[in-house]
């Protein structure tokens, strides 16, 4: 890991008390949804910021259908109703914007679910190895790492070069989670600060393939 990434990781501090624990399958789904949301800027009509109110608005916007469909799938498994709106625009270069929103009456439960899922998943990945951890816990920590990378590759800013695959993120916490998640998947990742973002990347070749295979991306979404 690059020296600057170590400095960034060392500055991370939880900003909220530990949430009540979830069962592993629920945690994996809630954590992945939280990562998807953290990959995106708040919608123009939403005043939330990354922090304790990140998920309270109940909305998320994606410029790719695969991220939107994945979020709908996960929320369906979690029993959270969600509406999906599609807008298109542009003249020479057409674009699509997928807006997901949770009905107002379900937003408190949705926000609490994602907040709890994020902090519990983050703690599992950033907390380091647990002495005597069970085989089940080790397996689910790897699944959480894969879920974070799946969300980032679907919804983050893709940074592809001949020598690496990376994602651009505005959220420092999520960038740190990806670096530690890659290590759990036995892949070295680098983290570099950029202009208003953080870039997390892995080398092309076996390392990139391991990340993509672990994240189980749809073939049409992988590059």
């Amino acid at each position: 890991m690059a020296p600057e990434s170590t400095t960034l990781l060392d500055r991370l501090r939880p900003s909220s008390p530990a949430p009540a624990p979830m069962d592993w399958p629920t945690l994996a789904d809630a954590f992945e949804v939280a990562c998807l949301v953290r990959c995106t800027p708040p919608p123009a009509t939403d005043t939330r910021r990354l922090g304790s109110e990140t998920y309270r608005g109940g909305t998320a916007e994606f410029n790719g259908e695969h991220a939107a469909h994945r979020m709908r799938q996960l929320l369906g498994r979690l029993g959270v109703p969600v509406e999906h709106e599609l807008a298109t625009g542009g003249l020479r270069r057409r674009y699509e914007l997928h807006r997901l929103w949770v009905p107002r009456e379900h937003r408190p439960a949705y926000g609490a679910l994602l907040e709890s899922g994020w902090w519990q998943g983050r703690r599992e990945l950033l907390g380091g190895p647990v002495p005597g951890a069970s085989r089940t816990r080790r397996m689910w920590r790897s699944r959480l790492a894969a879920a974070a990378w799946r969300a980032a590759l679907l919804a983050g800013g893709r940074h592809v070069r001949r020598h690496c695959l990376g994602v651009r993120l505005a959220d420092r916490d999520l960038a740190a989670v990806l670096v530690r998640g890659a290590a759990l998947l036995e892949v070295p990742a680098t983290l570099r600060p950029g202009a208003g973002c953080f870039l997390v990347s892995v080398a092309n070749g076996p390392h990139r393939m391991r990340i993509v295979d672990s994240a189980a991306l749809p073939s049409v979404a992988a590059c």
Side-chain angles (χ1 to χ4, degrees):
M1 189 186 305
E4 58 265 36
S5 63
T6 302
T7 302
L8 287 168
L9 292 174
D10 288 342
R11 290 207 303 264
L12 294 173
R13 294 292 184 272
S15 59
S16 64
M22 296 178 174
D23 62 83
W24 288 113
T26 301
L27 171 60
D29 287 349
F31 179 68
E32 187 172 341
V33 176
C35 290
L36 283 167
V37 173
R38 297 180 84 92
C39 283
T40 66
T45 56
D46 194 343
T47 58
R48 68 176 167 83
R49 294 292 183 268
L50 291 175
S52 62
E53 298 299 314
T54 299
Y55 318 106
R56 300 299 178 180
T59 58
E61 291 180 350
F62 303 99
N63 58 14
E65 64 175 326
H66 299 293
H69 290 168
R70 179 61 177 168
M71 185 167 171
R72 286 182 60 186
Q73 178 188 41
L74 292 168
L75 289 178
R77 294 207 299 238
L78 291 167
V80 177
V82 63
E83 300 292 335
H84 183 181
E85 298 175 349
L86 172 63
T88 59
L91 297 174
R92 292 184 179 181
R93 301 185 65 178
R94 303 291 292 176
Y95 67 86
E96 291 185 347
L97 181 66
H98 297 261
R99 185 173 188 267
L100 302 182
W101 56 276
V102 175
R104 186 176 300 276
E105 64 271 22
H106 296 280
R107 288 177 189 174
Y110 161 87
L113 179 68
L114 265 61
E115 186 75 10
S116 180
W118 166 252
W119 283 109
Q120 188 178 340
R122 177 189 183 279
R123 188 170 64 248
E124 287 291 338
L125 294 181
L126 296 187
V130 179
S134 67
R135 179 179 179 182
T136 297
R137 187 172 191 178
R138 293 194 301 270
M139 177 188 70
W140 279 101
R141 291 184 76 219
S142 295
R143 291 185 180 181
L144 290 173
W149 271 97
R150 180 163 49 248
L153 290 172
L154 285 173
R158 191 70 70 92
H159 178 86
V160 181
R161 296 293 184 269
R162 286 193 303 171
H163 65 285
C164 72
L165 166 67
V167 287
R168 292 188 182 92
L169 304 162
D171 181 19
R172 184 180 68 186
D173 264 13
L174 181 55
V177 161
L178 292 182
V179 173
R180 294 290 176 84
L184 272 175
L185 299 173
E186 301 180 352
V187 174
T190 60
L191 187 158
R192 296 194 302 273
C197 71
F198 299 93
L199 174 64
V200 182
S201 58
V202 298
N204 273 344
H207 292 156
R208 169 177 169 157
M209 291 306 301
R210 185 170 182 83
I211 287 293
V212 172
D213 289 346
S214 297
L217 290 170
S219 59
V220 293
C223 66

